[in-house]
Amino acid sequence: MQVLKFGGSSVAHSDAIKCICSLLEKKPKGRYAIVVSALGNITDQLIQCGELASERRNIYKNILEKIEIRHLNIIRELFPITYQSHLISWIKKNINDLESLCDGIFQVEELSKRSLDKIMSFGELSSSFLIAEKLKQFGLDAICKDSRDLIITDSQFGCAQVDFNTSNHHIIQFFREKTSEYIVLPGFIGSTLENETTTLGRGGSDYTASILAAAISASLLEIWTDVSGMMTANPKIVNQAFPIKEISYEEAMELSHFGAKVIYPPTIHPAMKKHIPIQIKNTFSPIDPGTLIYINKNTNISQPVTGISGIQNMALLTLEGSGMVGIPGYSKRLFEALSREKINVIFITQSSSEHSITTGIHETDIIKAKTVIDSEFDQEIHQRRLDPLRIEKDLCIIAVVGDYMKNLHGTSGKMFSALGRNSINVRAIAQGSTEKNISAVIRKTDFKKALNTLHEAFFESPPKQINLFICGVGKVGRKLMEQIDHQQNYLLKELKLQVRVIGLANSKKMYFNDHGINLSDWEENLNQKGINMNIYSFMEKVWKFNLRNSLFVDNTASEEMAMTYDKFLKNGIGVITCNKIACSSDYDHYKKLKTLSRHFKAPFLFETNVGASLPVISTLNDLINSGDKINKIEAVLSGSLNFIFNHFLGKKSFLEVVKEAQLKGYTEPDPRIDLSGLDVMRKILILARECGSPLELSDIHKTSFLPVTCSNSNSIEDFYQKLHRCRDYFFKIRNEAEKYKKRLRFIARYENGVASVGLESVKQIHPFFQLEGKDNMVLYNTYRYAEQPLIIKGAGAGAEVTASGVFSDIIKATK
């Protein structure tokens, strides 16, 4: 014989009944006990009716009227006219009984748990009655039996305890006497020996089915609900969650204890004692395999974790003090005090020194817990042998569950490493004595992020999801968006990376989409749906998303933006930037960013600060990290200046070439930064710092080639006018170089702790002589590269190559 339980559906009542009866029709011949919970979410209406009965007669009568109309419509929809009369009579009689009960509640102006149990029982009774009648209409041998005649409980209304000896006797005797093929019973309800209706608490209908299955030694217990089995994580929080095909009783209990609501721990116990397999199936997708819970699941030691679960809205209570050390009885008194108030303890951990005990409870129990604990330990607290109870709120607990975690090294390391990489701070840790559960208490705001992080670590083969927040969509930012859009399929297929742009901002607007911004129409969404941009509001939005594998990308030249990097890094969010201001700011600030990056395991990459997409910084770091010593750096680091001096030919004025460079996007938005040498000074400073030198920008020796009048311009337009007036000066510099067959190059040098920049004329034999267009060149003279320097050469300016450098850093950060 098999036991089947149906319910848990938000689908319309009549549709649920049709679906359930259709499934039962297709079952092989045999005997079935069918347990039914309230269908169509009627329980909520019944509870509301009971709560309102004590104060507002017109409203509860209105609710009862709606419930009656609803049931009458179901009967008219499901049954032929000739079959409806006795069904309608049964419904009306029970509605009248409900109304009489509510009237009594109204008279005494109090709703007791006993009365509420009686009211709530109507949902299960009506659902099971209608299903039995529908099966009879199909010509099946079906009867309906009131579970209250079989399941006997104590009088703890709202969550009654089952008297198994008496209940098992009644159940066995009934099933011996009745030979019907389909026996339909309401779930969730029982009765006292005095015939008072009781309910079995959360998951009570599943519990009813398990009690019946154990009593009659069923071959299988099937729980039909509206999900396709137990999932590796909550699918409402973790989109990548998938059904678990097989799971042990112990694993299922651990997951359900920590928040997996598909099945509750009491349901598992009766079936587990009799080794009855439990199959969880989806009523509305019966072809899905669902989850099988039984004693001997197929072993897969290489996959130690079976599922991840969690409980939100938790608080930690810590009782500590030197008076506890070496004195027995404190734990006993603590848990007895909590037990007296029926406070459920979710989590327990104790320091090895016996100096403190920490327990986790639901936030709703905080006041009760504090009152009872303060009372229990009042004398010890008064004598200062114990500290006052410490309470921490806004927490949650996550649990990694698996039978084979103890057989595979590194599971806990993998768990906490994944959390640490995403800056999820662990407040407390506990591991079950069977080593099938590792639990961690974290901030409630990190709950979604933690579940997704752990699910990715233990269950998801690539792709790895990367979430970008990008500021700056000018020339570089626009090209970056194009490159990401163009490469998305390649990254997914070849590198197993799913790159999503979650937030986007320019100087005026910012726009977010938690599912990822469509890169084909991002500009339209930013302009039309974006809100006013404010860097602090932008950061608050990023914190609120709190997504794993998050990166902040700065494509601006904004000092305000550059000064926010520390806040991102402290929150475990990597920073990718082509903005040179942060790394060329005060040395202490530069070191702080590098330290934060290491401490919070958040990448801080700025390859494009020097040489656009050229591997200038990464090569330097590789040399130093491998033990080489940098003796000297010579470099042409300004693609814009190299372009300008390479195209300052013939009759073209210096001003014309500068404007051409700006038009092509080779200069900074303000070309004075390039021509003053400030941009190159920042670059050589960054390289010097990467070599370990604590230089400041003011330490860089600069030889300016601009006339003093040009250096003192107060606007870009004023600067251009002064360049025009000094045209003869620039022609003279060029002609002097050409006279000796040399070329002008703005060169940066670093040697023996000294850095300098300035315009020089180089001979034909010098590597810089042949530099064309906007190319950069860096010469690393090192201990290993002493005779011939290591040369890096290529395009060092332009939106396209700078964007590709930023994109390359994004990909590096994912590793």
Side-chain angles (χ1 to χ4, degrees):
M1 187 171 184
Q2 293 184 9
V3 177
L4 286 66
K5 179 265 174 179
F6 290 95
S9 170
S10 57
V11 177
H13 204 151
S14 57
D15 291 339
I17 292 174
K18 288 177 188 175
C19 192
I20 291 167
C21 292
S22 174
L23 280 171
L24 291 170
E25 269 194 301
K26 295 172 184 175
K27 281 282 182 183
K29 283 286 184 180
R31 293 191 71 199
Y32 298 95
I34 301 153
V35 177
V36 180
S37 65
L39 300 174
N41 286 342
I42 191 175
T43 302
D44 293 339
Q45 287 182 294
L46 292 167
I47 292 172
Q48 183 186 27
C49 185
E51 290 172 345
L52 292 169
S54 62
E55 52 186 42
R56 303 184 69 178
R57 178 178 297 204
N58 59 326
I59 296 182
Y60 76 73
K61 283 186 177 292
N62 184 43
I63 295 172
L64 287 173
E65 184 180 346
K66 288 180 180 179
I67 292 173
E68 181 177 359
I69 291 170
R70 178 181 179 185
H71 280 80
L72 294 178
N73 288 337
I74 290 168
I75 291 169
R76 294 186 181 107
E77 181 181 346
L78 292 178
F79 298 93
I81 294 176
T82 55
Y83 210 92
Q84 293 177 8
S85 179
H86 79 284
L87 303 180
I88 292 173
S89 297
W90 189 94
I91 292 295
K92 284 183 174 290
K93 176 185 178 303
N94 279 274
I95 292 292
N96 289 337
D97 290 345
L98 270 178
E99 186 171 4
S100 297
L101 179 58
C102 289
D103 287 340
I105 293 168
F106 180 76
Q107 295 298 327
V108 299
E109 298 183 350
E110 182 181 348
L111 173 65
S112 66
K113 289 184 177 180
R114 176 186 303 193
S115 298
L116 187 58
D117 276 2
K118 181 76 173 174
I119 290 171
M120 286 196 295
S121 69
F122 176 80
E124 277 71 22
L125 289 167
S126 66
S127 295
S128 55
F129 173 72
L130 291 172
I131 286 177
E133 292 299 318
K134 188 65 180 175
L135 292 175
K136 288 179 188 177
Q137 190 214 327
F138 286 161
L140 300 175
D141 180 17
I143 62 169
C144 186
K145 176 64 177 174
D146 193 334
S147 299
R148 293 175 293 185
D149 298 334
L150 304 180
I151 297 179
I152 307 304
T153 72
D154 63 11
S155 57
Q156 188 177 318
F157 298 99
C159 190
Q161 301 299 306
V162 175
D163 179 347
F164 280 96
N165 290 332
T166 306
S167 299
N168 288 343
H169 174 74
H170 288 180
I171 293 167
I172 292 168
Q173 186 175 11
F174 171 77
F175 278 93
R176 280 176 181 167
E177 294 173 356
K178 297 296 179 181
T179 58
S180 300
E181 291 182 356
Y182 300 90
I183 301 172
V184 185
L185 306 99
F188 184 56
I189 60 174
S191 71
T192 66
L193 289 171
E194 292 76 28
N195 293 322
E196 293 283 356
T197 298
T198 58
T199 58
L200 304 181
R202 293 181 70 183
S205 293
D206 291 355
Y207 190 27
T208 302
S210 187
I211 293 167
L212 289 170
I216 62 178
S217 297
S219 60
L220 178 68
L221 168 58
E222 289 185 2
I223 296 178
W224 291 80
T225 181
D226 53 4
V227 294
S228 296
M230 296 191 77
M231 309 289 279
T232 49
N234 186 340
K236 294 180 180 177
I237 298 175
V238 180
N239 292 332
Q240 291 78 17
F242 56 88
I244 303 168
K245 291 183 179 179
E246 297 179 358
I247 188 171
S248 70
Y249 294 118
E250 291 84 356
E251 288 172 324
M253 280 194 291
E254 291 283 359
L255 285 174
S256 59
H257 175 73
F258 285 100
K261 297 180 181 179
V262 177
I263 192 167
Y264 290 92
T267 301
I268 301 170
H269 282 285
M272 183 174 69
K273 285 183 179 180
K274 289 288 190 78
H275 293 180
I276 300 169
I278 303 172
Q279 182 85 49
I280 301 174
K281 298 277 285 182
N282 190 335
T283 309
F284 305 99
S285 185
I287 62 171
D288 291 351
T291 298
L292 182 62
I293 307 172
Y294 63 124
I295 194 165
N296 291 318
K297 70 170 189 174
N298 292 330
T299 60
N300 182 10
I301 297 176
S302 64
Q303 179 54 60
V305 175
T306 301
I308 301 164
S309 192
I311 301 172
Q312 298 191 71
N313 303 316
M314 202 186 102
L316 281 185
L317 310 178
T318 300
L319 186 69
E320 64 181 335
S322 57
M324 294 174 63
V325 180
I327 308 297
Y330 277 96
S331 299
K332 178 176 180 290
R333 290 171 59 193
L334 173 64
F335 295 120
E336 281 183 347
L338 294 171
S339 177
R340 285 196 301 271
E341 292 297 317
K342 294 182 171 54
I343 297 170
N344 184 38
V345 176
I346 305 167
F347 177 96
I348 305 168
T349 186
Q350 183 173 13
S351 67
S352 57
S353 64
E354 303 179 21
H355 183 260
S356 67
I357 304 172
T358 298
T359 59
I361 63 171
H362 288 286
E363 281 191 346
T364 51
D365 292 327
I366 287 177
I367 295 176
K368 281 197 303 180
K370 178 169 174 51
T371 302
V372 71
I373 293 172
D374 284 348
S375 174
E376 176 67 31
F377 297 100
D378 177 66
Q379 185 175 350
E380 288 87 344
I381 294 171
H382 181 71
Q383 294 172 351
R384 297 189 177 180
R385 286 186 287 158
L386 289 181
D387 298 333
L389 184 69
R390 188 169 77 246
I391 300 173
E392 297 170 74
K393 297 187 288 185
D394 297 323
L395 300 171
C396 65
I397 186 169
I398 49 172
V400 172
V401 174
D403 276 343
Y404 301 106
M405 293 196 303
K406 62 182 179 182
N407 298 321
L408 194 69
H409 298 299
T411 305
S412 58
K414 189 174 183 179
M415 173 183 178
F416 295 114
S417 176
L419 295 174
R421 281 197 307 271
N422 283 275
S423 290
I424 299 169
N425 185 48
V426 175
R427 172 60 189 85
I429 302 167
Q431 184 167 13
S433 58
T434 59
E435 299 184 53
K436 296 179 180 181
N437 174 319
I438 304 173
S439 307
V441 177
I442 60 174
R443 292 180 304 175
K444 186 165 64 176
T445 52
D446 286 330
F447 186 70
K448 179 179 178 181
K449 183 180 181 182
L451 284 183
N452 278 277
T453 295
L454 293 178
H455 196 273
E456 180 181 82
F458 286 107
F459 292 109
E460 297 172 30
S461 55
K464 180 180 182 181
Q465 190 181 92
I466 307 301
N467 299 296
L468 304 181
F469 297 88
I470 300 176
C471 278
V473 287
K475 292 177 181 178
V476 173
R478 185 179 299 275
K479 288 295 182 183
L480 176 62
M481 299 291 282
E482 289 176 7
Q483 291 172 11
I484 294 173
D485 189 26
H486 181 264
Q487 285 295 101
Q488 275 186 325
N489 291 335
Y490 175 85
L491 294 175
L492 196 59
K493 182 179 178 181
E494 301 297 331
L495 300 183
K496 309 302 180 186
L497 294 175
Q498 182 191 19
V499 178
R500 307 190 309 165
V501 179
I502 304 298
L504 201 58
N506 58 21
S507 59
K508 296 179 180 178
K509 297 277 189 178
M510 57 183 182
Y511 171 67
F512 299 87
N513 187 322
D514 56 356
H515 298 296
I517 295 170
N518 187 338
L519 299 186
S520 62
D521 60 358
W522 64 265
E523 193 167 12
E524 180 182 345
N525 283 319
L526 178 62
N527 293 330
Q528 295 184 5
K529 299 179 182 178
I531 58 176
N532 290 338
M533 170 58 179
N534 176 283
I535 183 56
Y536 298 102
S537 299
F538 185 90
M539 286 192 292
E540 285 177 9
K541 292 284 285 186
V542 176
W543 308 161
K544 189 174 180 181
F545 276 110
N546 202 16
L547 297 172
R548 69 193 190 282
N549 305 326
S550 290
L551 297 172
F552 170 64
V553 182
D554 180 15
N555 298 316
T556 73
S558 163
E559 181 175 0
E560 182 184 26
M561 199 74 70
M563 292 301 107
T564 64
Y565 296 170
D566 59 332
K567 297 177 180 62
F568 285 100
L569 295 171
K570 284 177 183 177
N571 280 274
I573 296 170
V575 174
I576 312 297
T577 180
C578 58
N579 186 339
K580 293 177 278 290
I581 293 175
C583 288
S584 59
S585 61
D586 292 343
Y587 179 77
D588 288 343
H589 184 69
Y590 160 82
K591 288 297 291 182
K592 176 184 176 183
L593 296 178
K594 301 278 280 190
T595 302
L596 289 174
S597 174
R598 288 192 298 271
H599 181 75
F600 291 98
K601 296 180 173 61
F604 176 43
L605 299 176
F606 45 91
E607 184 70 75
T608 47
N609 277 197
V610 182
S613 65
L614 294 177
V616 175
I617 294 175
S618 57
T619 301
L620 176 60
N621 289 330
D622 288 343
L623 290 170
I624 294 171
N625 293 337
S626 65
D628 205 351
K629 180 182 178 182
I630 307 299
N631 296 324
K632 182 170 64 173
I633 300 174
E634 288 183 287
V636 171
L637 295 174
S638 174
S640 55
L641 286 177
N642 202 46
F643 176 89
I644 289 168
F645 288 116
N646 276 329
H647 288 76
F648 184 30
L649 304 168
K651 294 183 179 180
K652 274 188 179 180
S653 70
F654 191 72
L655 173 60
E656 289 175 318
V657 182
V658 170
K659 286 187 174 181
E660 183 182 353
Q662 186 184 34
L663 185 64
K664 290 180 179 291
Y666 297 155
T667 69
E668 297 287 341
D670 185 347
R672 288 176 294 177
I673 296 174
D674 298 270
L675 294 173
S676 67
L678 177 60
D679 185 60
V680 177
M681 290 171 69
R682 286 172 173 164
K683 291 176 179 179
I684 195 62
L685 175 65
I686 292 168
L687 292 182
R689 286 177 172 179
E690 290 294 289
C691 289
S693 179
L695 292 178
E696 298 288 358
L697 192 63
S698 58
D699 296 327
I700 309 295
H701 300 284
K702 183 186 76 168
T703 304
S704 177
F705 66 89
L706 288 177
V708 176
T709 54
C710 295
S711 300
N712 295 332
S713 57
N714 52 34
S715 69
I716 296 175
E717 188 56 40
D718 179 46
F719 178 63
Y720 283 157
Q721 290 175 5
K722 289 177 178 177
L723 285 183
H724 177 71
R725 288 196 290 270
C726 294
R727 57 186 296 164
D728 291 340
Y729 167 82
F730 293 108
F731 278 128
K732 182 180 179 181
I733 293 176
R734 186 192 71 184
N735 294 337
E736 187 70 19
E738 289 177 348
K739 178 180 176 181
Y740 296 99
K741 296 183 179 180
K742 295 181 179 181
R743 287 188 176 178
L744 295 172
R745 298 288 182 255
F746 196 84
I747 299 174
R749 286 190 170 83
Y750 172 72
E751 186 175 6
N752 297 325
V754 178
S756 63
V757 300
L759 187 65
E760 299 181 28
S761 299
V762 297
K763 298 178 181 180
Q764 294 181 11
I765 60 172
H766 198 287
F768 292 157
F769 186 87
Q770 299 297 335
L771 271 180
E772 300 295 335
K774 60 182 183 301
D775 284 358
N776 280 189
M777 181 181 286
V778 179
L779 310 180
Y780 287 132
N781 186 286
T782 74
Y783 175 78
R784 293 174 187 156
Y785 294 89
E787 295 183 8
Q788 291 292 331
L790 174 63
I791 298 176
I792 301 170
K793 176 186 174 184
E800 187 81 32
V801 292
T802 303
S804 70
V806 172
F807 197 4
S808 177
D809 273 354
I810 290 171
I811 295 169
K812 286 179 191 173
T814 66
K815 300 174 182 179

